[in-house]
Amino acid sequence: MFDHKTGRVNAAVVAYWRDHFDASRLIASLSTEKKNQLRGTLHVYVGEEDTHYLDGSVKLLKAAMDAADLDGQVVLFPGRNHNDLYAQDENPLGLLKVFAAQMTQVAQQERSQAH
């Protein structure tokens, strides 16, 4: 987004990133139909002390999700950062097991509803 030597901001790059990667802006521009499809499906987890500074962005995303009535889940883990977010019960990747179990449960529910 900026030249590392001069500090000059490249407006074209900023505009591209805003148009393609600004999740809050994309959510705000969704049609009612798309919002209905997303309702309750977004789950975001971040450490309150994220070393990549994603905690601030996720708070803005939560505000956009709330404004769009998406009923999404945003969890900020106290004391966690980008490197230890998934740690749980002495397992550095323990939270991934929780996610996998949740996804399996949803898939099983959807499969049983389809039959």
Side-chain angles (χ1 to χ4, degrees):
M1 288 191 196
F2 65 94
D3 185 300
H4 291 279
K5 292 179 184 174
T6 67
R8 177 175 282 144
V9 173
N10 185 328
V13 173
V14 171
Y16 182 86
W17 277 72
R18 181 193 63 235
D19 293 344
H20 293 89
F21 300 108
D22 184 341
S24 296
R25 186 167 184 246
L26 294 171
I27 286 171
S29 69
L30 290 173
S31 67
T32 301
E33 179 183 359
K34 294 291 183 188
K35 287 178 186 178
N36 288 338
Q37 291 172 350
L38 281 176
R39 191 162 284 117
T41 66
L42 299 176
H43 306 274
V44 182
Y45 301 84
V46 68
E48 280 188 348
E49 299 174 17
D50 191 88
T51 45
H52 293 208
Y53 307 106
L54 296 177
D55 49 314
S57 299
V58 168
K59 289 174 186 174
L60 293 173
L61 176 63
K62 171 69 171 146
M65 290 166 59
D66 289 347
D69 193 30
L70 291 184
D71 190 30
Q73 178 187 35
V74 174
V75 179
L76 288 106
F77 288 97
R80 296 286 179 88
N81 64 49
H82 205 78
N83 298 315
D84 67 358
L85 177 64
Y86 298 112
Q88 189 177 51
D89 301 328
E90 305 295 322
N91 181 346
L93 299 177
L95 193 55
L96 292 178
K97 288 184 177 183
V98 173
F99 295 159
Q102 291 171 345
M103 289 187 290
T104 299
Q105 182 181 15
V106 168
Q108 289 171 344
Q109 289 171 351
E110 289 180 2
R111 185 173 48 201
S112 69
Q113 292 174 358
H115 294 317

